[in-house]
Amino acid sequence: MAGGAGRWGPLLGAKLFDLIVLAGAWSAHPPHSLAMMPYGKAWPVDTGVFFIPFSAAMLIAAFGALAAGWTTPWRYRWLLCVPSLGILALLVLTVIAFWPMNAALWYHGIASPRDTISDAESVAMARQWVELDWVRVAGAAAAFVAALRALTLPWPTEVAPRDSLVVRLLLWAFLAGVAAFVIWFVSNI
């Protein structure tokens, strides 16, 4: 499927459920509601156990579709770039913004000795988390639409001119970097 279009729909739905239902509960009245964060012994599954491998698989599928369609004209190829670069950007956002916030809010919610934020900071951080999560939802929606559009267009019959050696080497280096990121990302389950 072009850009993993078949996977974007379920991820978008899961992300909306996570944001509206789960985050809606734990962010409702911090710091007291932080005890409802879906981590720890009280919860049967950590949401990361779902999102991390699923997102890594989407990243691989999206970049696989991009690599397979690299010789297509740019009027088509950009539809393959949006899901690939979109999921990569969303995963980087997750690692640099959400993982630290998740830890800080979790530690505060369970009154851990590792807690580093105040009640007022937890309120502001929970609000920021929800606002940033809408960015992830919007990004997932844009990637889904682009992948779906690529899937519904006929495969271009013309081939784009061959890229220069420098562009091809940069592409392979970038793909190797993405593969390294996927391995690191999945190893953090």
Side-chain angles (χ1 to χ4, degrees):
M1 289 187 188
R7 294 183 183 174
W8 277 104
L11 182 68
L12 181 58
K15 190 70 222 115
L16 281 169
F17 176 82
D18 179 53
L19 175 59
I20 294 169
V21 177
L22 298 179
W26 66 254
S27 68
H29 301 289
H32 305 293
S33 60
L34 295 177
M36 297 177 73
M37 290 185 83
Y39 309 110
K41 295 176 185 171
W43 291 88
V45 68
D46 178 332
T47 55
V49 173
F50 169 78
F51 282 110
I52 290 174
F54 199 73
S55 298
M58 285 193 52
L59 183 68
I60 292 166
F63 273 97
L66 177 59
W70 192 254
T71 60
T72 61
W74 272 105
R75 71 177 190 285
Y76 183 84
R77 195 184 318 178
W78 78 270
L79 292 170
L80 302 175
C81 287
V82 170
S84 304
L85 298 176
I87 188 71
L88 180 61
L90 294 175
L91 292 178
V92 168
L93 175 66
T94 297
V95 170
I96 64 172
F98 286 91
W99 286 5
M101 284 193 291
N102 288 349
L105 291 167
W106 169 250
Y107 291 142
H108 191 71
I110 63 168
S112 168
R114 297 172 75 179
D115 180 18
T116 59
I117 61 175
S118 67
D119 286 353
E121 289 170 319
S122 76
V123 171
M125 190 177 289
R127 186 176 302 121
Q128 181 185 26
W129 193 102
V130 169
E131 289 168 358
L132 276 175
D133 209 33
W134 279 109
V135 171
R136 289 197 294 192
V137 168
F144 176 65
V145 169
L148 194 58
R149 180 67 180 138
L151 187 63
T152 59
L153 286 174
W155 188 261
T157 56
E158 64 272 19
V159 174
R162 186 175 171 97
D163 294 317
S164 69
L165 178 60
V166 171
V167 170
R168 285 181 284 150
L169 289 173
L170 287 172
L171 175 65
W172 282 108
F174 185 74
L175 290 176
V178 169
F181 177 78
V182 166
I183 292 166
W184 175 83
F185 188 73
V186 171
S187 71
N188 281 290
I189 294 179

